[in-house]
Amino acid sequence: MTQLSMPSQLTTPASGSDHRVLDLEQKARLVSGGDTFRTSAEPAVGMHPIVCSDGPVGVRGERWDETDTALLLPCATALAASWDEALVARMGSLLAAEARRKGVHVVLAPTLNLHRSPLGGRNFECFSEDPLLTARIGAAYIAGVQARGVAATAKHYVANDSETERLTVDARVDGRTLREVYLAPFEAAVRAGVWAVMSAYNRVNGTSMVEHPLLAEPLKGEWGFDGLVVSDWGSVHEADGPGAAACDLSMPGPNPAWGAALAAAVRAGRVPAAALDDKVERLLRLAARVGAFEAPAAGGQAPVPVDPATRGALRAAAVAGTVLLHNPGRLLPLDTAALRRVAVLGPNAATARVQGGGSASVFPAAPVSPLNGLRAALDPAVEVVHAPGVHTNLRPTPLVAADCVLPDGSAPGVLVRYLAADGSLVHAEARSTGRVLEPTGEVDLAPVRTIEVATRFTAPSAGRWRLGVVGLGALRLEADGEVLLEEYVAPLSDDPTYLHVSPSFRQVELELAEGRQVELLARRTVEEPHGRVLVLAADRPEAELEREFAHAVELAAAADVAVVVVGTTDEHESEGFDRAGLRLPGRQDELVEAVAAANPRTVVVVNTGSPVLLPWRERVGAVLTCWFPGQEGGDALAEVLLGLAEPGGRLPTTWPDAEADCPVYSTAPTGGRLEYAEGLHLGHRGWLRAGRTPAYWFGHGLGWGEWRYLSLGVPSAPAADGSRTVRVALRNEGPRRSRETVQLYLSRPGSGLERPVRWLAGFGTAEAGPGERVEVDLVLPGRALEHWSVAEHAWLTEPGTFVLQAGPNCGELPLAAALSVD
């Protein structure tokens, strides 16, 4: 792991913060949260509120508002695809700077759960399918964040690997699998010095994680975690169980299930006083580490950084995570001298799909789309044409300022009004889109009972437009004063993401002539537990979408090269639900087939957070995935396509050719239980056990070089920590300088234990010019040779011969060597 200087690991609270000066009620209140993202202050010990913010790819801060923008990193899967710990540590440091800019002490990231199934709706927020890769990348992320005095939060502890029934699902996992697979990244996080761990919503083997014994052992006991365990938001529902267990802080607050109720439980002897004291001590320790005993900085929030160095770092991270999957005829990099016309097509080409959905999302400052990135990078003499071709939205599309003006006609945008029960105005503001999550600035929301969004919408084209409203409670939609929709919409779930980000919606159709202006009004009532989301939306007529498909194919046929950007959006990959399948949404596969038939020089860019099926992959010139690349994704893509940078990514998760081939697929619980029946064999391990070949193996990725693997040395004698060094020699036989991710795998033929066919044991990087030979030293950790014995409750090593294999990916390992272990 990259070594960074870390603030001292305080083992006791700072001077003046002794919990013994607090009485029982003060202690119980302190660990019960202050508001949505703050802990309570405690003047008796000089502690200010600790401010938390969702991550993991941007620091949103305490407000969720389009005017409060943030830097946006590539998604966690893209960061893991770099296999580059130093780069990830730099991204963590950048996040910490953002946290400080926004007055945030604790970033609620990284997510250390695994890509158990490709359907996992939140996979984009997790690093990989492999425990070792996740552990090393997660540790680097934590080091980068905490080196600047901001706490990272390892989450969601543990086995929170899918979203279906996520608040209640009972994950059934055997003890060995827990230790070797799902707990391993969290153990690495503790070894890296993480200051906070978040307990998951789900149950594990029948017990809710907020009160699970795993929080005590191995987390706080065997591993020696001295930080704070914070509940996932809204998961503490009673005082006794979580109070007596090792959960330290209930969020959000104030939580009526703790506070006075927790104090009463201690007074009655149902919760040990020592348990509460330990919680308070850990909270005070965190406060000392993040500077919450110091007064908040005076002055307003600094603007989001837009300097070239910051944007360049984000662009480099996006390049490093871009995976070139397929390039048989070396269409890439493009020959820029031969380009006269480039067609940039697809639903994700002009609109930057830079992040997944849910609590991890932020409002990026200036996202660069693939279309704009290519236009900026190409010579002005090159004509760049565009058509989306297909429409993939599942939910209504919020209005944007380009198509609407305020009701008084004074400026582009929409008018949002917050009204009290008597109809009086509490607050009003102009917004640039029809999606409203929270009001701008400091607004007292207590008296608000109704929210309205009003605008004058001008139809860009003729036809039957679908007008929509998103929200809960009593909904109303008007056009020129005529009521189009009036309905009470009851919540379908108590999931926080559903209530506060993506609640139910309703749509109606309205015939509009091209250029017709219509006054629209959307209204909803506010019932406090059901959030305040309100969206006024408009979607184009179906006939126009049909014309777009044909237009895209025509543009492709007349271009020197066609770049088709396909993928998902935050409607398809999001916290709160799992994906229904692996096919690209809408008619995107059909669009790729038609474009490739019209122009064999077709490059397909896959803009998703996790695997999708690519049925056309052998019939196009090149395929690469940029994942959800963050705000600089368009410029990064242009650098890769034009050969200004080498795609550095290698797959952190296996990509299938067919859904039926996936060794772990369904995420649907049965009777509330989700059986992890595959045990140790998830991801590439499951593919190997089943003897199936995927579309692309874990670790796969191409670059501008052609690497020949020459030799695998005999491992060195064990060091004091049990690790060994393994040297791999290789040569770049390609025409350009290149970087290679060298991967090391272990197997144990004839083992007396159930084991994976092989498992990732180490990785490192080689870089060389054309014809150059290089040697790479890889670290083989002692843990890679060990297994967890449930019977002996210990890590053991089975004597005998292990086999080491090295190569460019899990399915292509040309070098092998034996390792005898006593």
Side-chain angles (χ1 to χ4, degrees), residues 124-272:
F124 64 88
E125 196 178 321
C126 311
F127 291 120
S128 82
E129 69 183 26
D130 185 80
L132 177 66
L133 179 59
T134 295
R136 286 180 56 173
I137 296 297
Y141 182 107
I142 290 163
V145 170
Q146 294 188 173
R148 302 188 72 158
V150 174
T153 308
K155 67 181 189 182
H156 307 85
Y157 187 91
V158 61
N160 185 199
D161 309 293
S162 54
E163 294 295 283
T164 304
E165 300 181 22
R166 66 176 182 147
L167 301 184
T168 58
V169 66
D170 183 9
R172 294 283 171 158
V173 197
D174 70 84
R176 183 181 171 201
T177 298
L178 269 174
R179 282 289 192 143
E180 294 187 22
V181 178
Y182 297 101
L183 285 171
F186 291 95
E187 182 178 4
V190 174
R191 304 296 181 221
V194 72
W195 291 343
V197 169
M198 181 186 291
S199 61
Y201 284 125
N202 56 284
R203 298 174 179 271
V204 171
N205 298 329
T207 303
S208 171
M209 279 310 306
V210 79
E211 56 184 281
H212 206 288
L214 286 171
L215 295 175
E217 290 293 346
L219 179 61
K220 291 183 175 180
E222 177 189 329
W223 297 347
F225 175 62
D226 71 347
L228 180 91
V229 174
V230 59
S231 73
D232 205 341
W233 265 229
S235 60
V236 173
H237 303 294
E238 54 103 0
D240 292 11
C247 179
D248 301 314
L249 172 65
S250 171
M251 290 295 286
N255 184 353
W258 272 24
L262 180 57
V266 172
R267 193 171 286 112
R270 300 191 305 273
V271 171

Side-chain angles (χ1 to χ4, degrees), residues 663 680-692:
L680 305 173
H681 309 281
L682 75 159
H684 56 285
R685 300 175 176 190
W687 285 90
L688 290 165
R689 184 174 67 159
R692 299 171 186 159

Side-chain angles (χ1 to χ4, degrees), residues 335-342 378-384 558-561:
D335 180 4
T336 55
L339 296 178
R340 298 293 179 269
R341 177 183 291 179
V342 176
L378 287 167
D379 188 286
V382 179
E383 182 183 9
V384 179
D560 298 310
V561 65

Side-chain angles (χ1 to χ4, degrees), residues 574-629:
S574 174
E575 178 183 357
F577 60 87
D578 291 320
R579 292 196 288 163
L582 300 183
R583 298 193 69 85
L584 285 167
R587 299 175 63 192
Q588 293 184 91
D589 286 332
E590 186 180 344
L591 177 67
V592 172
E593 296 276 12
V595 168
N599 188 337
R601 291 174 56 80
T602 292
V603 179
V604 182
V605 180
V606 183
N607 181 198
T608 66
S610 51
V612 291
L613 301 180
L614 311 175
W616 31 259
R617 64 188 179 91
E618 298 291 346
R619 295 187 291 279
V620 300
V623 183
L624 52 83
T625 177
C626 65
W627 312 103
F628 294 138

Side-chain angles (χ1 to χ4, degrees), residues 2 14 17 25 56-57 104 106 143 168 225 286 298 420 511 550 569 582 587 619 631 649 724 806 817:
T2 302
S17 59
E25 279 68 25
V57 292
V104 167
V106 178
T168 58
F225 175 62
L286 178 66
E511 185 75 35
T569 70
L582 300 183
R587 299 175 63 192
R619 295 187 291 279
Q631 68 179 59
R724 294 168 166 84

